[in-house]
Amino acid sequence: DAKTTQPNSMESNEEEPVHLPCNHSTISGTDYIHWYRQLPSQGPEYVIHGLTSNVNNRMASLAIAEDRKSSTLILHRATLRDAAVYYCILRDATPANNAGNMLTFGGGTRLMVKP
Amino acid sequence: DAGITQSPRHKVTETGTPVTLRCHQTENHRYMYWYRQDPGHGLRLIHYSYGVKDTDKGEVSDGYSVSRSKTEDFLLTLESATSSQTSVYFCAIRRQGADEQFFGPGTRLTVL
C-alpha cells in the first residue's frame, strides 16, 4: 500500500490560514487522496478528497501537486474548533485491490490552534 | 449526522471473557467497518461488511469475528478478550458509490 508522510504536529494562530502538508511519493494512478480529521474524544470526520485536480468544499481546500507526489490541506481561517489530528490517506480505487474501499490511517498531524 | 450509534460506549471486562460490540445505523448504507485505535496511533481496520452476511477481514482481524444479519447492525465479537484488545473501537458506514466514510462515537474497551 502507498504510504503518506505528515509532520507530527503543527501550530497555527486563530483566524489565520493553515497549510497541512502530506507527502506520498509512491502514489499510484488509482490512488485517491483523502483527508480526515479527528477532534479530541471523537471519531474521525471526513474533510475532503481528490484525485488530480484541486478541490474545494465548505470545510477546506485540497491542493494536489502536478506530479501527485504531495498534497496540501488548506484551512482558510483556523478556529479553535479546528484543533484536531489531521490524517492524509491514500485510497486505492481499484476494485480488485480494494473492494471494500478501505482506508489505511497513518499517524496524522496534530494541529494546535492558538487564540 | 450519519445516524450511527455504538453500544456500549464504555466497557470494562476481564481477560478470557467474551465481548460483543454493536454498531447500529439508521440509513441502510451497504458498507460498514470496524476499526480500533490505540494511543498515539491512527485507526486500523479489523473487519468490514459489504452487505448482509457479507464480511471480509481487515488489517488486524486476528481474535475478532463479526456478524451482520441485518442491514442496520454490525456486531464485533471478541470470543475471549485479551489485554492487547484494550482499545477504542470505531464503527464506520459508507453509502454505495460514495467515497467518504462516516464514523460513530466509539466504544472504549478495557480488558483487565
Side-chain angles (χ1 to χ4, degrees):
Chain A
D1 287 343
K3 298 267 189 267
T4 62
T5 303
Q6 301 177 252
N8 288 335
S9 64
M10 290 183 64
E11 263 189 12
S12 170
N13 294 317
E14 196 177 10
E15 299 189 6
E16 290 186 357
V18 181
H19 291 233
L20 295 162
C22 182
N23 287 320
H24 28 78
S25 58
T26 58
I27 191 170
S28 73
T30 56
D31 285 331
Y32 278 77
I33 302 161
H34 283 247
W35 284 83
Y36 282 75
R37 72 180 186 180
Q38 188 173 20
L39 279 63
S41 301
Q42 295 188 26
E45 174 186 28
Y46 168 80
V47 177
I48 200 167
H49 77 282
L51 183 62
T52 57
S53 305
N54 294 345
V55 185
N56 299 297
N57 66 20
R58 64 174 180 80
M59 289 182 70
S61 295
L62 176 59
I64 301 173
E66 198 169 331
D67 63 5
R68 301 213 320 130
K69 294 184 185 299
S70 65
S71 61
T72 302
L73 180 71
I74 302 165
L75 307 179
H76 296 287
R77 223 167 137 258
T79 68
L80 296 178
R81 196 196 170 275
D82 292 321
V85 178
Y86 286 78
Y87 296 100
C88 171
I89 300 164
L90 299 184
R91 177 183 64 86
D92 188 344
T94 309
N97 294 343
N98 191 5
N101 242 23
M102 292 178 283
L103 301 174
T104 302
F105 287 76
T109 296
R110 181 174 298 278
L111 175 66
M112 292 167 279
V113 180
K114 297 183 290 184
Chain B
D1 186 356
I4 311 168
T5 56
Q6 292 185 231
S7 58
R9 292 293 313 280
H10 302 270
K11 185 170 182 66
V12 179
T13 191
E14 296 194 347
T15 298
T17 59
V19 176
T20 295
L21 308 183
R22 179 181 182 235
C23 177
H24 178 78
Q25 59 150 329
T26 59
E27 302 191 4
N28 292 321
H29 290 317
R30 179 179 177 187
Y31 293 90
M32 299 184 76
Y33 305 81
W34 276 109
Y35 293 86
R36 63 176 286 175
Q37 185 173 34
D38 301 302
H41 293 277
L43 280 70
R44 291 182 292 172
L45 182 67
I46 305 171
H47 281 279
Y48 70 96
S49 170
Y50 48 98
V52 172
K53 295 190 169 64
D54 293 323
T55 65
D56 207 349
K57 295 179 179 180
E59 182 187 0
V60 291
S61 59
D62 286 349
Y64 301 95
S65 62
V66 289
S67 66
R68 193 165 176 204
S69 59
K70 42 186 180 174
T71 301
E72 57 265 36
D73 288 326
F74 191 32
L75 304 180
L76 177 70
T77 297
L78 292 64
E79 300 290 347
S80 178
T82 68
S83 58
S84 65
Q85 293 176 311
T86 292
S87 189
V88 180
Y89 291 85
F90 289 100
C91 172
I93 62 174
R94 182 175 66 88
R95 177 173 51 85
Q96 184 167 2
D99 292 300
E100 60 268 31
Q101 294 183 19
F102 295 95
F103 287 80
T107 293
R108 183 174 295 276
L109 176 67
T110 302
V111 184
L112 302 175

